[in-house]
Amino acid sequence: MDPPTQWRATTVQACGLWPFAAGSGAPMTGVPLGQHLYTGATVCGDPLSWFTRARYISNPSLFMLGMPGLGKSTLVNRMLIGLSAMGVVPLVLGDLKPDYADTVRALGGQVISIGRGFGGINVLDPGAMGAAAAKIGGKAGAALAAETHGRVLNMVAALITIVRGRPMDDHEQAVLSASLHLLRERTRPGQVVVLPDLLALIDEGPDRVRAVTLDRGEESRYRDAVDPLHRSLLGILDGPLGSTFASQTSQRINPSAPAVCIDISRIGEADTQLTAAAMLAAWSDGLGTVAASHALADAGLAPRRWFFTVLDELWRPLRAATGIVDRIDALTRLNRSLGLGDAKITHTLKDAEALGNDADRAKARGFVERAGMVICAGLPRNEMNELGKVVGLSEREIELVSSWSSPPGWGSRGENEEPPGRGRFLIKVGGRPGIPIRVAITDTERNLHNTNTRWVANGVIQEQEQKELWAP
């Protein structure tokens, strides 16, 4: 039987029918996402609205999985636009294609380009957190400065992990921490240090740094302790990462911008280490800006702002080196206490299974388990079975999402043949039944978010050009 037609209206429009005898199960709090696949009712939602207003979820985070080309970034792009209209600040920390740069520009936001010869990030720059600590002063400022030190230490350690392919040793982290403290004490107000300054300090070997190596006054013992660290820092400056992290930050994040996108699309596909390092540096810088904004608000020096971060193509940094998942976990675990919602996007759970050891695989799966919302685009059935062990999917939900992973039919002319799962998603929250939705984008969204720009000429592909392109 066909389901009966259903309508939805506000109490102003249908006041004579209030209270309603029955209501639709589709949530109406948050960004309008699309229509319910079965009832046609409007479905709204986003991690921040469902955490703060609706209280459907206990963690303002979203994890999205799906095969390429089915609209994952399109749906997140819609959330980005809607949340911006609510006063939330979107932060796209590492745009690889780019998928979001044009949208951020249209919102009047800031786009920062990173790549060889285009711009770099100084991972020793305290950035917005350092400026906020100086402005706040007192005990609160000192606490923020200490947090800044920890963030810089974690970021340098992450770069070394990428270059080496394994985590740092414990004594090396002690050397690095002592060197950063001493370097900051030696720095004049207004001066910003860079990685070559850190390298020179370690090479100099002041007493405070030597003390943590237990060299006992022997030069050879000190060199044995710091030489591997020295070589790794040289690898960051002159190795596969090039000069991207060797100089001053080309453009700092503007804390008052309505939206921010760090565009790393100019980094080549083959530069896997540089891509992962740039993404981690962008995340560290962006989340530091969030922490600084809230510290200023706590001190009564700035209005309170909420943020929504987009962490796309999560599989790239995960595969960069053993132990890098720890750095991502440290950067993103405390989003609930930071007044921060986030969306992590990847293709399948196999991205986590491909990691080097069981501990890293378990931590990567924890990203899905901790997410307040899980959204699935089309995925193969075996992948849905694995996801069902983590999220809790019914057999009907597994069959539905699996059907969306089928390829398009064999069209006779090739036009208007789309995959059956494009624009279709299943929203899961805890043990609740999933909400299947269909997303139809507007012309404005289509113009701002075309992920196939390399396959069109001058932004438009004509029908005749299409015929010639695919002619035998």
Side-chain angles (χ1 to χ4, degrees):
M1 294 178 60
D2 291 334
T5 303
Q6 298 185 24
W7 292 271
R8 173 171 289 187
T10 67
T11 53
V12 174
Q13 296 167 317
C15 54
L17 299 178
W18 180 261
F20 301 124
S24 170
M28 287 289 289
T29 304
V31 176
L33 301 179
Q35 291 180 296
H36 196 286
L37 201 58
Y38 300 138
T39 67
T42 300
V43 177
C44 302
D46 61 81
L48 275 80
S49 299
W50 281 16
F51 174 72
T52 58
R53 294 162 55 195
R55 300 190 183 278
Y56 295 147
I57 57 179
S58 59
N59 187 18
S61 62
L62 158 68
F63 200 98
M64 183 176 291
L65 304 100
M67 301 297 288
L70 297 183
K72 300 187 300 298
S73 57
T74 300
L75 181 60
V76 173
N77 201 62
R78 171 165 291 185
M79 288 188 186
L80 185 150
I81 295 171
L83 286 169
S84 176
M86 299 178 190
V88 176
V89 181
L91 300 173
V92 183
L93 305 177
D95 195 354
L96 283 155
K97 294 181 182 178
D99 284 337
Y100 309 94
D102 289 341
T103 299
V104 169
R105 289 191 186 97
L107 294 173
Q110 178 189 28
V111 177
I112 301 172
S113 295
I114 301 296
R116 299 184 191 275
F118 287 96
I121 297 178
N122 177 17
V123 293
L124 301 188
D125 188 350
M129 291 183 71
K135 187 174 183 180
I136 295 171
K139 292 183 178 179
L144 187 60
E147 185 181 346
T148 304
H149 170 81
R151 188 173 292 274
V152 170
L153 177 62
N154 281 333
M155 190 58 238
V156 178
L159 293 183
I160 292 173
T161 299
I162 290 174
V163 169
R164 289 183 177 180
R166 63 174 181 83
M168 293 177 62
D169 296 328
D170 54 354
H171 76 275
E172 292 178 318
Q173 295 198 44
V175 170
L176 188 58
S177 179
S179 301
L180 289 171
H181 276 302
L182 184 58
L183 195 60
R184 191 169 295 109
E185 292 172 6
R186 290 183 176 184
T187 304
R188 297 188 303 271
Q191 180 185 3
V192 179
V193 296
V194 292
L195 277 179
D197 298 325
L198 176 62
L199 195 64
L201 180 70
I202 293 175
D203 187 48
E204 173 193 340
D207 293 340
R208 184 169 170 182
V209 177
R210 288 176 180 271
V212 300
T213 66
L214 301 179
D215 69 324
R216 295 182 174 85
E218 296 182 20
E219 181 69 16
S220 60
R221 288 172 62 91
Y222 175 73
R223 294 302 165 187
D224 289 343
V226 302
D227 278 354
L229 177 60
H230 197 153
R231 283 192 294 269
S232 296
L233 290 172
L234 285 173
I236 294 174
L237 298 177
D238 300 321
L241 305 188
S243 59
T244 307
F245 305 101
S247 58
Q248 298 286 0
T249 299
S250 55
Q251 187 179 0
R252 285 185 174 183
I253 292 178
N254 179 8
S256 61
V260 176
C261 173
I262 299 182
D263 179 5
I264 60 174
S265 61
R266 290 182 172 88
I267 301 175
E269 289 287 334
D271 284 339
T272 55
Q273 288 185 322
L274 179 57
T275 298
M279 290 181 75
L280 287 175
W283 295 356
S284 180
D285 197 15
L287 297 180
T289 302
V290 172
S293 174
H294 286 303
L296 289 171
D298 292 341
L301 300 175
R304 179 75 64 191
R305 306 175 84 197
W306 290 348
F307 298 84
F308 177 63
T309 61
V310 178
L311 310 177
D312 206 344
E313 300 289 348
L314 188 65
W315 62 271
R316 292 205 181 193
L318 285 178
R319 295 185 184 179
T322 301
I324 206 67
V325 66
D326 291 322
R327 303 300 171 185
I328 300 174
D329 189 51
L331 289 174
T332 61
R333 180 178 284 269
L334 297 177
N335 56 337
R336 184 167 61 90
S337 61
L338 287 176
L340 170 74
D342 76 85
K344 301 182 185 72
I345 309 171
T346 191
H347 294 147
T348 70
L349 277 184
K350 287 185 174 64
D351 295 332
E353 297 301 324
L355 297 180
N357 57 60
D358 292 339
D360 282 357
R361 287 191 286 270
K363 291 169 187 173
R365 291 173 72 93
F367 294 153
V368 185
E369 295 170 349
R370 290 197 306 271
M373 300 171 62
V374 176
I375 299 183
C376 306
L379 287 167
R381 184 177 181 86
N382 61 343
E383 178 67 24
M384 288 301 298
N385 288 332
E386 289 298 317
L387 183 62
K389 298 176 183 177
V390 180
V391 178
L393 297 167
S394 68
E395 183 61 28
R396 185 173 181 181
E397 290 170 341
I398 291 175
E399 290 179 358
L400 177 65
V401 179
S402 300
S403 69
W404 295 340
S405 65
S406 303
W410 298 103
S412 59
R413 300 176 61 190
E415 63 270 13
N416 300 323
E417 291 291 337
E418 289 191 348
R422 179 170 293 172
R424 286 163 173 77
F425 304 91
L426 180 72
I427 304 175
K428 286 289 293 184
V429 174
R432 300 183 183 186
I435 304 172
I437 65 171
R438 178 179 61 249
V439 178
I441 63 174
T442 65
D443 290 338
T444 300
E445 287 175 303
R446 186 176 292 107
N447 293 332
L448 288 175
H449 187 73
N450 182 5
T451 59
N452 294 320
T453 54
R454 294 292 176 87
W455 293 95
V456 299
N458 300 322
V460 178
I461 184 166
Q462 303 297 330
E463 184 176 352
Q464 183 60 34
E465 294 174 348
Q466 218 173 24
K467 294 177 183 177
E468 295 173 357
L469 182 63
W470 299 108

